[in-house]
């Protein structure tokens, strides 16, 4: 019996596999532009360690959950630029994310409309303008003085481009610092940077998008990632694979039963 137990344990360790089955595996992907506000106000520390650093952390989290999608990065202040074109290369995306700083662009300010229009043009003028699902994820504190054109909103709705707006910061805001000193305006008053929730919610509503919060008290990025993942994607690849199941537990279970019988027989012998 003990020899049989030893044999069963050896077979279990070898991991026998049988009962092969064919399974169809498909991957659905999307084209997504991450639009990042690099205005000076994103250095505000009302979100630890700063608004921008928190955004960079959450962007990496987002990329790790969208392996089947092409992702690009657009940065903006008063002007918008493509930092990374659409790519599947997650390592390159993470490298560029780490390099994001508020002094990366020559001018300051927050022009969300120009950044959104640039993302729209890149999504629609690609090699496959109608064959893939298209989305934008916007990270900003919303301190924008620009009103977007009605045609931009109409185009985003018309072509079904998914808009996900993440408001970064707090309504109460915090003072800004520059070169170790508190930033003052032309009237020698302390500059307070606040989350403009009303503008971002209005922007989201006009594009039929969704709005999320990101600060120390509330983090909706996880929900945003779930919403993007659930959104309808385009079939990228489909193939049939052979699935082999490891059946070690049959042999392990039989060995354990025999070990139990061996123990019971030994105890019974001693009692006699």
């Amino acid at each position: 019996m003990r020899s049989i137990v030893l044999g069963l344990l050896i077979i279990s360790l070898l991991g026998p596999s049988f009962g092969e089955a064919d399974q169809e595996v498909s991957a659905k992907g999307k084209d997504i532009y991450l639009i990042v506000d690099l205005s000076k106000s994103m250095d505000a520390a009302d979100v630890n360690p700063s608004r921008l650093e928190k955004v960079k952390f959450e962007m990496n989290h987002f990329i790790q959950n969208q392996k089947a999608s092409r992702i690009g990065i657009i940065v903006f202040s008063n002007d918008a630029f493509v930092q990374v074109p659409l790519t599947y290369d997650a390592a390159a995306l993470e490298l560029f994310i780490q390099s994001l700083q508020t002094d990366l662009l020559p001018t300051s300010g927050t022009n969300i409309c120009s950044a959104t229009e640039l993302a729209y043009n890149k999504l629609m003028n690609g090699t496959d303008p109608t064959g893939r699902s298209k989305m934008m994820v916007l990270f900003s504190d919303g301190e924008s003085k620009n009103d977007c054109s009605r045609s931009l909103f109409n185009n985003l709705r018309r072509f079904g481009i998914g808009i996900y707006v993440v408001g970064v910061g707090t309504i109460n805001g915090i003072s800004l610092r520059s070169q170790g000193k508190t930033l003052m305006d032309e009237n020698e008053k302390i500059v307070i940077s606040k989350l403009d929730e009303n503008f971002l919610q209005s922007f989201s509503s006009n594009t039929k998008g969704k709005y999320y919060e990101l600060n120390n008290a509330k983090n909706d990025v996880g929900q945003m990632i779930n919403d993007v993942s659930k959104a309808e994607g385009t079939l990228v690849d489909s193939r049939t694979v052979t699935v082999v199941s490891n059946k070690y537990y049959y042999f392990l279970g039989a060995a354990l039963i025999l070990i139990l019988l061996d123990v019971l027989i030994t105890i019974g012998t001693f009692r006699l």
Side-chain angles (χ1 to χ4, degrees):
M1 182 183 295
R2 291 174 182 172
S3 298
I4 295 173
V5 169
L6 179 60
L8 290 171
L9 290 174
I10 292 174
I11 295 174
S12 177
L13 287 172
L14 292 175
S17 300
F18 51 88
E20 296 181 356
D22 291 337
Q23 181 176 341
E24 186 174 352
V25 178
S26 60
K28 290 187 175 182
K30 312 170 183 73
D31 282 351
I32 306 171
Y33 264 110
L34 302 179
I35 306 174
V36 190
D37 186 351
L38 291 187
S39 60
K40 183 61 181 176
S41 60
M42 291 296 288
D43 282 334
D46 54 351
V47 180
N48 291 330
S50 73
R51 294 175 184 173
L52 181 57
E53 290 302 318
K54 184 63 173 177
V55 166
K56 290 161 64 173
F57 175 82
E58 297 298 347
M59 287 173 66
N60 282 320
H61 184 202
F62 179 88
I63 290 169
Q64 293 166 8
N65 285 272
Q66 295 294 324
K67 298 295 186 182
S69 299
R70 292 195 304 178
I71 299 175
I73 300 175
I74 287 178
V75 297
F76 74 95
S77 55
N78 273 334
D79 300 310
F81 303 91
V82 176
Q83 178 79 346
V84 184
L86 292 171
T87 179
Y88 288 110
D89 192 342
L93 287 166
E94 292 173 1
L95 183 63
F96 277 100
I97 287 172
Q98 293 308 312
S99 69
L100 295 180
Q101 302 292 336
T102 56
D103 58 1
L104 191 63
L105 301 180
T107 59
S108 188
T110 306
N111 192 339
I112 291 175
C113 303
S114 67
T116 306
E117 189 162 3
L118 175 61
Y120 167 77
N121 290 331
K122 292 298 180 181
L123 287 171
M124 299 307 297
N125 295 332
T127 56
D128 188 16
T130 60
R132 294 175 64 90
S133 299
K134 299 170 180 60
M135 300 178 182
M136 302 180 197
V137 180
L138 171 66
F139 295 93
S140 176
D141 53 28
E143 291 188 323
S144 178
K145 305 301 182 184
N146 303 90
D147 293 324
C148 301
S149 65
R150 188 175 297 275
S151 62
L152 174 61
F153 291 141
N154 290 338
N155 286 333
L156 293 174
R157 294 193 298 263
R158 175 187 175 190
F159 292 102
I161 296 178
I163 306 295
Y164 303 84
V165 181
V166 181
V168 188
T170 59
I171 297 176
N172 294 329
I174 195 172
S175 60
L176 296 176
R177 298 185 67 83
S178 177
Q179 299 179 346
K181 298 179 180 180
T182 302
L183 193 63
M184 311 291 286
D185 62 15
E186 61 275 9
N187 297 320
E188 296 300 317
K189 292 183 178 180
I190 297 176
V191 176
I192 303 295
S193 175
K194 301 179 181 180
L195 169 67
D196 193 340
E197 192 174 45
N198 292 332
F199 173 82
L200 293 176
Q201 288 179 341
S202 175
F203 179 89
S204 174
S205 176
N206 286 327
T207 59
K208 290 188 177 180
K210 296 184 178 180
Y211 176 74
Y212 309 87
E213 292 183 31
L214 177 59
N215 49 55
N216 293 336
K218 190 174 184 181
N219 187 341
D220 291 333
V221 172
Q223 181 61 49
M224 181 270 289
I225 292 174
N226 288 335
D227 290 342
V228 172
S229 299
K230 290 178 182 177
E232 187 65 27
T234 303
L235 185 64
V236 176
D237 186 25
S238 178
R239 64 187 65 185
T240 301
V241 297
T242 300
V243 180
V244 180
S245 178
N246 190 341
K247 299 297 193 303
Y248 73 93
Y249 44 84
Y250 290 132
F251 300 93
L252 181 60
L256 293 176
I257 292 173
L258 291 179
I259 290 173
L260 180 60
L261 289 175
D262 187 20
V263 172
L264 293 175
I265 292 172
T266 303
I267 292 175
T269 303
F270 279 119
R271 285 180 178 175
L272 291 174

